[in-house]
């Protein structure tokens, strides 16, 4: 027993001080490695499976979060693009209003008449904002039409393309006067009652002539796109493309020539008082 203890101490001393048994230890480690690997295989496999499914779960969660963020960013981008387009339209209207001598008020389209034989829209301004029947309506590029009906909070506007609508115009190049009439949805306007010898050319700009008292002078109405002289007919066949963007404009301008327009909604009683004052003043002037 004593000899075994002494031998153990001697072997321990030789291994720690002289590294004498290093080759033997290396060989033994190599020999027992397969058994160690086999013994740890179930634990390693369990850890790998747990990590695999955990990573897949985390990956799915990350993908779900990224898809939600992507959808949210897409919605925000669409909203920003919509606001940008609206800002551009309002800027165009503002720039156009600076070129007008009359006071203007911005209104927005509420509904569009779906009747193909009636080109009308409804806007979000009515009598409480000073809107009246016959009031000119424009967009940033030209005349759209005029108000035909009013209520307290909204108004109906007939567009230039309505077959029942006509507007007196003049050719900006030479001052020649005529009448332009609507021909329905998707059709050009028709320039009526000009003889074959009339000085009209393709590309001529038509503006309001001011005759009839509805539209002030000089508002763009359209551009002549074709001039034909049919044999056997007393008048020329002249087609006009509207200057206003009738199918895309959402914001419009209401024009009150020579009067101050209301920019805030008036209470019903106050609106009646203002109307009565105007009638009294008009009677005094007469």
């Amino acid at each position: 027993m004593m000899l075994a203890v002494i031998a153990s101490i001697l072997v321990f001393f030789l291994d720690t001080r002289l590294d004498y048994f290093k080759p033997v230890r290396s060989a033994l480690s190599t020999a027992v490695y397969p058994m160690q690997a086999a013994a740890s295989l179930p634990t390693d496999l369990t850890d790998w499976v747990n990590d695999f499914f955990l990573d897949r779960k985390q990956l799915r969660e990350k993908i779900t979060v990224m898809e939600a963020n992507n959808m949210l960013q897409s919605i925000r981008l669409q909203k920003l693009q919509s606001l940008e387009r609206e800002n551009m339209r309002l800027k165009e209207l503002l720039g156009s209003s600076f070129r007008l001598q009359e006071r203007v008020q911005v209104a927005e389209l509420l509904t569009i008449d779906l009747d193909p034989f009636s080109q009308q829209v409804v806007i979000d301004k009515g009598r409480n904002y000073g809107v009246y029947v016959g009031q000119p309506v424009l967009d940033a590029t030209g005349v759209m039409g005029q108000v035909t009906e009013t209520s307290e909070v909204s108004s109906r506007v007939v567009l230039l393309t309505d077959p029942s609508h006509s507007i007196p115009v003049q050719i900006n190049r030479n001052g020649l006067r005529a009448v332009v009439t609507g021909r329905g949805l998707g059709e050009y306007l028709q320039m009526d009652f000009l003889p074959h010898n009339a000085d009209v050319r393709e590309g001529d700009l038509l503006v309001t002539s001011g005759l009839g008292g509805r539209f002030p002078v000089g508002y763009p109405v359209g551009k002549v796109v074709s001039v034909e002289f049919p044999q056997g007919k007393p008048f020329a066949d002249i087609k006009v493309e509207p200057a206003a963007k009738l199918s895309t404009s959402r914001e419009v301008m209401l024009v009150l020539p020579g009067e101050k327009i209301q920019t805030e909604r008036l209470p019903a009683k106050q609106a009646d008082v203002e109307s009565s004052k105007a009638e009294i003043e008009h009677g005094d002037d007469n």
Side-chain angles (χ1 to χ4, degrees), residues 179-252:
V179 176
V180 166
T181 304
R183 285 294 182 264
L185 180 64
E187 300 290 337
Y188 288 120
L189 308 176
Q190 184 74 30
M191 195 171 181
D192 296 326
F193 311 125
L194 285 182
H196 288 198
N197 61 351
D199 183 13
V200 185
R201 306 173 188 173
E202 291 186 13
D204 275 345
L205 174 64
L206 304 183
V207 298
T208 51
S209 65
L211 298 178
R214 290 291 176 91
F215 291 90
V217 179
Y219 289 172
V221 175
K223 181 178 67 174
V224 176
V225 294
S226 70
V227 180
E228 299 178 359
F229 303 101
Q231 293 184 355
K233 293 186 178 181
F235 301 113
D237 183 11
I238 304 172
K239 291 181 172 57
V240 178
E241 182 181 21
K245 300 175 182 178
L246 300 177
S247 59
T248 59
S249 293
R250 291 187 57 186
E251 292 83 17
V252 299

